[in-house]
């Protein structure tokens, strides 16, 4: 029952070798045929034995283990797996592919586990390379096994998602001379639809290989799409894209391993889209097939990583392992249109990291141009990368302390990050946000699986020890509203930046590691916490967002509010003659002023709409006003609070009594209803011994 304050705690913790065994009965009909064993996700290094004899090894963290027995004699056999979850390959102890901070360093096999009989000639791989210019695909089919004595045939058929055939089947005669790799160019027709976040159109390629009367059939989903860098911004199918992203750090508290089914990934992406996001970065891990399938169907742009957060480039075995892991990832998931971006992993160390990662990018580009590549999350910048992912474009830079925009300057919304971004490639900001909130103690009861929120229990006990347990909900709400304002400032700053490619938040949902980093407006289960709705969040994070550059948020009533309105618009198409309506209201909801602009909105940001001008002379009392701007055609309205004070202060009839100690005189005055300003002398409140538990 030991409680660790820094992350979720498992019921049991095991690191080492575990053995798994299964007896199988091979039917007579399988005699003479290859048999494939598939283990969808193992964790981690796996050795396979058949009847006590070693057959093969697997050391991928990201892709299925498939082993083909060239022949399994009919009858009973014993399959044995040795699984070792120790960090024998230096991918980094904090990498989310293995860390106890997130999914847990589990041991075993999850997802599909199957034995499948194969024909003598079978399909090893299918890769699909779309060409949106002429609406064709190049299909590359790799075969394995033995070509029949009288030859074999290969049939390729493009289909719509519902199975309707597109065009005629493409037939190839496979002979020993033709080889085991076949290529074909297939036309999709002039009416073929492209894939993007706006229209996630999916197609299937059905491939059938036949030899000596035996057939094998496999399908691959794909989309007609092109994702590339153009200047400082990405384009999908030639149209500018602004990435509004969050991290997914392999956080699955109930199971301790990633969801292998489509339903949970649908929940994750639904929440992302409800909050206005179109992008997910998988921090130092690669998700399973289900994550790609659902992202394909929903139009989510994914950044996938090769499971690393460590030192690279020093010649360790892990250098070769990351290259091999990238090969496995590209082969397994490369057809998915949602798979748009790839990196080695996160924040590398090592004196030779730049040279190593630059070489890795060259290697990837030589193999596969279906996506864009960068070195790593955070750093280093390398010239041959397709994009840069630095931590600088943010309102509170690392180690900035009290010198940041948000701490050192008066509240304002007229800043951007134009001076930080690269001018020769897209810049995507790295892990921006990290704004923490107080724990939601109602969340504790949701941890009914292998991981328990004992860290939350410590925080709750500490609050109770300080006689403030009744304030827990107030602390959550107050810190949550402040967190929401900080994320609003962060995201709007990105949307105001000319030529910016996008942001990756840490995070839309909580990160349970590294000191219980409760950085999300959603909890670790992707559920709301009660202080901000997706509807409110999407007012400032969306395809189309109205923005105002306020030089300050506090005004005097002898001033005139004069502020420029601009738009960020990254919808499916440009908007002609968009109606932009602004209004100013007081706290009781009374409308004080309104106006409108009509503006064409291209697919871009920093689109000027006009100025809001309003004399504040009619505001006689200290007031909070709300300024809102709506784009009717986009069905989105954004809002800001400003404060107006009289330029001439009224004389105070009676100043409060000022005291430095809470003595009898102070108490007497308070009992009479007088006002008291209590200014305690520095050092008069002693710090509690033992220090505080730090949250976040």
């Amino acid at each position: 029952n030991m409680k660790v304050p820094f992350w979720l705690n498992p019921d049991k913790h095991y690191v080492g070798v575990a053995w798994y065994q299964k007896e199988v009965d091979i039917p007579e009909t399988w005699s003479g045929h290859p048999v494939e064993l598939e283990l969808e996700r193992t964790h981690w290094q796996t050795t396979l034995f058949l009847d006590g004899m070693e057959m093969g090894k697997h050391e991928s963290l990201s892709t299925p283990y498939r082993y083909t027995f060239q022949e399994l004699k009919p009858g009973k056999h014993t399959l044995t797996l040795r699984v070792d979850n120790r960090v024998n390959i230096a991918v980094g102890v904090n990498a989310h592919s293995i860390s106890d901070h997130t999914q847990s360093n589990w041991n075993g096999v999850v997802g599909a586990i199957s034995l499948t009989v194969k024909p003598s000639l079978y399909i090893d791989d299918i890769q699909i390379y779309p060409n949106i210019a002429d609406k064709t695909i190049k299909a590359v089919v790799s075969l394995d096994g033995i070509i029949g004595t009288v030859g074999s045939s290969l049939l390729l058929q493009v289909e719509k998602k519902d199975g309707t055939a597109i065009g005629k089947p493409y037939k190839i005669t496979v002979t020993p001379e033709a080889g085991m790799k076949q290529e074909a160019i297939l036309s999709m027709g002039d009416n073929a639809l492209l894939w993007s976040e706006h229209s996630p159109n999916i197609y299937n390629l059905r491939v059938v290989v036949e030899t000596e009367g035996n057939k094998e059939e496999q399908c691959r989903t794909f989309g007609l799409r092109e994702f590339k860098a153009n200047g400082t911004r990405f384009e999908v199918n030639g149209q500018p894209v602004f990435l509004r992203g969050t991290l997914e750090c392999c956080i699955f508290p109930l199971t301790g391993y990633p969801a292998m089914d489509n339903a949970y990934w649908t929940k994750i992406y639904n929440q992302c889209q409800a909050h206005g996001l179109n992008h997910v970065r998988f921090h130092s891990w690669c998700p399973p097939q289900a994550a790609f399938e659902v992202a394909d169907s929903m139009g989510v742009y994914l950044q996938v990583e090769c499971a690393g957060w460590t030192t690279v480039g020093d010649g360790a075995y892990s250098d070769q392992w990351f290259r091999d892991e990238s090969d496995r990832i590209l082969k397994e998931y490369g057809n998915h249109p949602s798979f748009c971006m790839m990196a080695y992993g996160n924040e590398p160390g090592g004196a030779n990291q730049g040279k190593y990662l630059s070489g890795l990018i060259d290697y990837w580009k030589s193999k596969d141009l279906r996506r864009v590549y960068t070195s790593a999350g955070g750093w280093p910048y390398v010239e041959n990368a397709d994009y840069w992912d630095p931590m600088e474009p943010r309102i509170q830079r690392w180690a900035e302390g009290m010198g940041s925009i948000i701490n050192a300057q008066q509240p304002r919304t007229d800043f951007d990050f134009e001076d930080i971004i690269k001018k020769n490639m897209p810049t995507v900001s790295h892990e921006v946000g990290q704004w923490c909130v107080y724990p939601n103690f109602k969340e504790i009861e949701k941890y009914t699986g292998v991981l328990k929120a004992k860290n939350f229990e410590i925080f709750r006990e500490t609050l109770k020890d300080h006689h403030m347990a009744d304030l827990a909900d107030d602390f959550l709400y107050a810190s949550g509203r402040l967190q929401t304002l900080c994320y609003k400032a962060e995201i709007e700053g990105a949307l105001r930046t000319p030529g910016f490619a996008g942001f990756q938040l840490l995070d839309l949902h909580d990160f349970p590691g590294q000191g219980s980093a409760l950085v999300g407006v959603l909890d670790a289960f992707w559920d709301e916490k009660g202080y901000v709705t997706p509807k409110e969040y999407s007012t400032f994070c969306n395809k189309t967002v109205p923005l105002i550059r306020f030089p300050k948020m506090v005004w005097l009533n002898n001033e005139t509010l004069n502020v420029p309105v601009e738009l960020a618009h990254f919808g499916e198409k440009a908007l002609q003659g968009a109606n932009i309506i602004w209004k100013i209201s007081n706290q009781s909801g009374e409308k004080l002023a309104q106006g409108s602009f009509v503006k064409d909105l291209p697919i871009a940001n920093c689109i000027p709409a006009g100025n809001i001008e309003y004399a504040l002379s009619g505001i006689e009392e200290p007031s909070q006003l709300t300024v809102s701007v709506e784009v009717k055609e986009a069905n989105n309205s954004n809002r800001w609070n400003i404060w107006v004070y009289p330029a001439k202060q009224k004389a105070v009839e009676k100043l409060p009594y000022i005291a430095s100690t809470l003595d009898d005189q102070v108490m007497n005055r308070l009992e009479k209803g007088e006002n008291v300003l209590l200014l305690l002398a520095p050092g008069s409140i002693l710090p509690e011994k033992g220090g505080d538990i730090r949250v976040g």
Side-chain angles (χ1 to χ4, degrees), residues 57-132:
K57 295 179 182 291
H58 181 67
E59 57 182 20
S60 173
L61 280 162
S62 309
T63 59
Y65 180 19
R66 297 188 183 96
Y67 183 85
T68 302
F69 301 96
Q70 291 308 313
E71 183 178 357
L72 269 179
K73 292 181 179 179
K76 295 187 183 300
H77 295 277
T78 301
L79 291 175
T80 305
L81 289 172
R82 177 190 186 272
V83 183
D84 187 352
N85 67 340
R86 292 175 294 182
V87 188
N88 293 315
I89 299 171
V91 299
V93 294
N94 289 327
H96 299 158
S97 51
I98 63 168
S99 171
D100 277 323
H101 288 190
T102 57
Q103 60 180 317
S104 80
N105 186 20
W106 55 279
N107 183 299
V109 185
V110 296
I113 302 176
S114 63
L115 271 176
T116 308
V117 66
K118 297 274 190 178
S120 56
L121 182 66
Y122 53 93
I123 299 166
D124 172 64
D125 187 32
I126 303 168
Q127 294 296 323
I128 303 162
Y129 301 89
N131 184 332
I132 66 167

Side-chain angles (χ1 to χ4, degrees), residues 611-678:
N611 273 44
I612 294 173
E613 189 168 350
Y614 175 61
L616 300 171
S617 54
I619 311 299
E620 297 179 354
E621 298 292 331
S623 301
Q624 176 186 297
L625 306 183
T626 299
V627 183
S628 63
V629 182
E630 178 183 11
V631 182
K632 280 285 188 183
E633 288 73 9
N635 193 30
N636 196 34
S637 176
N638 200 0
R639 57 189 291 171
W640 301 262
N641 291 329
I642 64 170
W643 289 263
V644 181
Y645 293 92
K648 293 183 178 180
Q649 301 297 317
K650 293 181 181 179
V652 179
E653 294 180 4
K654 186 177 182 181
L655 291 172
Y657 178 73
I658 301 174
S660 58
T661 57
L662 194 63
D663 53 22
D664 291 342
Q665 188 176 4
V666 169
M667 296 306 296
N668 290 335
R669 289 178 178 272
L670 289 172
E671 288 172 1
K672 294 177 182 177
E674 295 183 22
N675 292 326
V676 175
L677 177 60
L678 185 63

Side-chain angles (χ1 to χ4, degrees), residues 119 222 233 248 255 271 342 404 440 565 613 625 662:
F222 69 95
R233 189 157 274 158
E248 207 307 300
T255 58
Q271 284 287 47
M342 190 164 90
S404 66
N440 179 12
V565 176
E613 189 168 350
L625 306 183
L662 194 63

Side-chain angles (χ1 to χ4, degrees), residues 28-30 50 65 92 147 154 160 240 259-260 262 370 380-381 414 436 485 497 545 597 617 639 670 676:
E28 289 284 348
T29 54
W30 289 19
L50 174 67
Y65 180 19
I147 297 173
L154 193 63
K160 294 181 181 179
M260 307 299 288
N262 285 18
R370 289 177 290 184
Y381 167 75
D414 59 350
C436 288
L485 285 171
T497 301
V545 179
F597 315 106
S617 54
R639 57 189 291 171
L670 289 172
V676 175

Side-chain angles (χ1 to χ4, degrees), residues 9-323:
N9 303 169
D11 286 330
K12 295 180 180 179
H13 186 266
Y14 178 79
V15 177
V17 172
W19 295 85
Y20 303 88
Q21 198 169 77
K22 173 76 173 178
E23 186 177 77
V24 296
D25 195 353
I26 302 301
E28 289 284 348
T29 54
W30 289 19
S31 180
H33 290 282
V35 176
E36 181 185 78
L37 171 68
E38 178 177 343
L39 309 171
E40 186 173 358
R41 182 149 295 205
T42 62
H43 199 96
W44 176 16
Q45 293 176 285
T46 305
T47 308
L48 173 65
F49 298 85
L50 174 67
D51 300 327
M53 182 176 295
E54 184 176 325
M55 294 285 103
K57 295 179 182 291
H58 181 67
E59 57 182 20
S60 173
L61 280 162
S62 309
T63 59
Y65 180 19
R66 297 188 183 96
Y67 183 85
T68 302
F69 301 96
Q70 291 308 313
E71 183 178 357
L72 269 179
K73 292 181 179 179
K76 295 187 183 300
H77 295 277
T78 301
L79 291 175
T80 305
L81 289 172
R82 177 190 186 272
V83 183
D84 187 352
N85 67 340
R86 292 175 294 182
V87 188
N88 293 315
I89 299 171
V91 299
V93 294
N94 289 327
H96 299 158
S97 51
I98 63 168
S99 171
D100 277 323
H101 288 190
T102 57
Q103 60 180 317
S104 80
N105 186 20
W106 55 279
N107 183 299
V109 185
V110 296
I113 302 176
S114 63
L115 271 176
T116 308
V117 66
K118 297 274 190 178
S120 56
L121 182 66
Y122 53 93
I123 299 166
D124 172 64
D125 187 32
I126 303 168
Q127 294 296 323
I128 303 162
Y129 301 89
N131 184 332
I132 66 167
D134 59 11
K135 294 192 174 180
T136 62
I137 60 168
K138 181 174 80 170
V140 181
V141 181
S142 300
L143 302 172
D144 206 343
I146 302 169
I147 297 173
T149 54
V150 294
S152 303
S153 66
L154 193 63
L155 183 146
L156 295 83
Q157 177 68 64
V158 177
E159 300 172 345
K160 294 181 181 179
K161 193 175 181 181
D162 63 6
T164 304
I166 297 177
K168 296 179 180 179
Y170 190 99
K171 295 182 179 179
I172 301 172
T173 300
V174 181
T175 63
E177 293 77 24
M180 303 294 273
K181 180 177 283 190
Q182 300 290 332
E183 295 187 7
I185 304 296
L186 306 177
S187 174
M188 299 285 294
D190 293 339
N191 296 324
L193 302 173
L194 303 183
W195 184 97
S196 72
E197 65 180 287
H198 311 294
S199 301
N201 299 296
I202 298 297
Y203 294 94
N204 289 325
L205 176 64
R206 186 177 302 277
V207 179
V208 181
V209 63
E210 182 176 1
T211 184
E212 297 181 342
N214 295 308
K215 293 182 179 180
E216 185 193 37
E217 180 180 294
Q218 291 190 23
C219 278
R220 296 289 188 275
T221 59
F222 69 95
L224 275 177
R225 77 108 176 96
E226 179 184 68
F227 193 97
K228 66 179 184 179
N230 185 0
T232 65
R233 189 157 274 158
F234 297 118
E235 290 182 347
V236 61
N237 307 327
Q239 178 173 300
V241 169
F242 192 99
L243 293 179
R244 305 178 304 278
T246 184
L247 272 60
E248 207 307 300
C249 299
C250 206
I251 299 163
F252 298 91
L254 295 182
T255 58
Y257 56 79
M260 307 299 288
D261 62 295
N262 285 18
Y264 197 75
W265 287 104
T266 301
K267 175 181 179 176
I268 290 173
Y269 297 142
N270 270 335
Q271 284 287 47
C272 290
Q273 291 183 335
H275 288 79
L277 302 180
N278 62 1
H279 167 52
V280 175
R281 173 202 169 199
F282 293 99
H283 180 310
S284 60
W285 78 293
C286 173
Q289 176 75 7
F292 292 95
E293 288 180 355
V294 179
D296 290 346
S297 68
M298 296 181 67
V300 182
Y301 307 123
L302 304 182
Q303 176 174 311
V304 171
E305 297 177 9
C306 302
W309 186 357
T310 189
T311 296
V312 296
D314 290 351
Y317 175 70
S318 54
D319 283 355
Q320 183 61 44
W321 185 89
F322 287 123
R323 178 177 285 229

Side-chain angles (χ1 to χ4, degrees), residues 343-356:
Y344 122 85
N346 188 62
E347 298 172 7
N352 301 311
Q353 57 179 272
K355 181 180 179 181
Y356 168 79

Side-chain angles (χ1 to χ4, degrees), residues 520-597:
V521 298
L522 302 178
D523 64 22
F525 303 89
W526 294 89
D527 296 328
E528 292 176 42
K529 297 181 183 179
Y531 53 78
V532 61
T533 63
K535 183 178 181 180
E536 180 186 354
Y537 200 95
S538 64
T539 61
F540 56 82
C541 182
N542 214 319
K543 295 175 184 177
T544 306
V545 179
L547 300 161
I548 298 178
R549 291 188 183 250
F550 288 98
K552 60 184 180 179
M553 310 306 285
V554 179
W555 299 75
L556 298 177
N557 68 354
N558 63 355
E559 297 178 304
T560 295
L561 179 71
N562 192 329
V563 289
V565 176
E566 65 184 56
L567 281 301
H569 174 64
F570 292 92
E572 185 172 9
K573 57 186 178 181
L575 293 177
Q576 303 300 319
N579 291 282
I580 301 155
I581 300 165
W582 63 266
K583 64 179 180 180
I584 301 173
S585 306
N586 59 24
Q587 279 188 288
S588 63
E590 179 187 359
K591 187 162 57 180
L592 305 180
Q594 67 176 357
S596 63
F597 315 106

